[in-house]
Amino acid sequence: MEQREIRTLVNRQRRFFYTGKTQHMAFREIALRRLQISIMAHEDEINRALRLDLGKSASEAYMCETGMVLAEISYMLKHMRQFGKDQTVRTPLAQFASRSFRKPSPYGVTLIMSPWNYPFLLTMEPLVDALAAGNTAIVKPSAYSPFTSEIMAKIISECLPKKYVAVVNGGRKENQWLLKEKFDYIFFTGSQAVGKEVMAHAAKHLTPVTLELGGKSPCIVDETANIKLAARRIVFGKYLNCGQTCVAPDYVYCAALVKDVLVDEMKKQIRKQFGDDPLANADYGRIVNEKHFRRLIGLIDPTKVVAGGECDSTLLQIAPTIMDQVTFEDAVMQEEIFGPILPVMTFHSLDAVISQINRREHPLALYMFTESKANADRVMTNCGFGGGCINDTVIHLATSEMGFGGFGESGMGSYHGKTGFDTFSHYKSIVDKKTWMDLPMRYQPYNKVFDFLIRLFMH
């Protein structure tokens, strides 16, 4: 798509938004039902696309992508009429007689820019929230997941007109052209570097943004933890989608007393979940492209590898890998890993762990394995992070009942369920003043009676 076509598309969507059709809940419901039906009709093609882009199995594709999008649609269809109602609030006595209320209103033309690691989920779920809130949307998927981008364009074009929802495929050139346009809201999921660029462009138009970024999400295991269960759940969360998950445990921070036991149990779990030769496992995915494959290989220190490390440069696969005796000075700790490499570090004091985490960039997620409620409370209260779990990994984002997002370096804003509806809505604060009476005391000339009454009514 050329730059002029993008500009035409934005203008066409703005004209459509101002017709007022998206303001009606019935219109939004029809759109979401059409999207729901189209997704279900194309599920096999979605699975095939995710297999081609990332090597995902059909089971993982449904569990982590298609199923979650369908769940968000169902949730919105059930709740969005309630979400869209005016919210009456208390009116101060000084404003008698009137009604005060907050009115949720769509922003208008939105831009949704999504990444390649969960290309279907992280495109379609924010789209569902945007449509439920009454917006139009231009969707820009990642160029690194072309097969999934193609099927999403097909699904959307079959059930919704371009003046309402459109997909713009392409690479950096198309990203730049889109960001030069004036949108009413931008929702971006991806890296910090690109997030900063998106925010800089948005600032030129004073466009509000949500940034869903990432970071080095720690996984703390103390000496009271159920080690076997911790190992099982850490291995699941870390190596899901070959570690290409923004909320994957980036590194394990383990109490010295149980570190060796935990490492042994994680080795066992890798074999149990992926087999003796994970690279021969048809359900184990691959790295998205050669650039990221080479980057990940460069983070592996062979002298510290205690499990895995095998790779296949032809298939872009790296076996689930554990590195022990890692320090914050190692290369693997200098950036978000975003791959199947798990560094393990040791601690002797939980206070030191909290201090180390807080002096670094705010992570998107944090996980704590412990049987001590006091320890869990200390970490969850005193560490800054987006969201997380106690005694599990990654599952906190798999619900429409809680918002998901980070802050600072891991992003800004959140979505899912009601929080997603709110993200794509502007709440207008409105006072409806009645006309059957008009108290004269607020009008000049002021006097002592006014001074007395205004102090009385405003406290």
Side-chain angles (χ1 to χ4, degrees), residues 101-115:
F101 61 97
R102 300 173 69 238
K103 186 176 188 64
S105 302
Y107 279 102
V109 183
T110 65
L111 172 63
I112 298 170
M113 306 181 77
S114 59

Side-chain angles (χ1 to χ4, degrees), residues 191-192 195-196 199 211-215 360-364 384-386 405-413:
S191 69
Q192 285 184 14
K196 291 177 181 178
M199 196 171 179
L211 301 179
E212 297 292 341
L213 308 178
R360 286 169 168 76
E361 294 184 347
H362 299 305
L364 182 56
F385 59 96
F407 76 105
E409 298 87 350
S410 57
M412 62 177 66

Side-chain angles (χ1 to χ4, degrees), residues 428-446:
K428 299 172 181 172
S429 298
I430 301 172
V431 175
D432 179 7
K433 194 67 179 284
K434 306 309 176 186
T435 59
W436 52 266
M437 69 171 298
D438 187 33
L439 296 176
M441 64 186 66
R442 71 174 180 176
Y443 302 107
Q444 292 201 45
Y446 301 133

Side-chain angles (χ1 to χ4, degrees), residues 223 253-256 346-356 378:
E223 61 276 7
Y253 217 165
C254 187
T346 304
F347 72 84
H348 298 275
S349 161
L350 196 56
D351 288 334
V353 171
I354 294 170
S355 177
Q356 285 280 6
R378 282 172 63 197

Side-chain angles (χ1 to χ4, degrees), residues 64-75:
C64 298
E65 304 227 30
T66 314
M68 290 180 66
V69 172
L70 291 173
E72 185 78 353
I73 293 175
S74 297
Y75 184 89

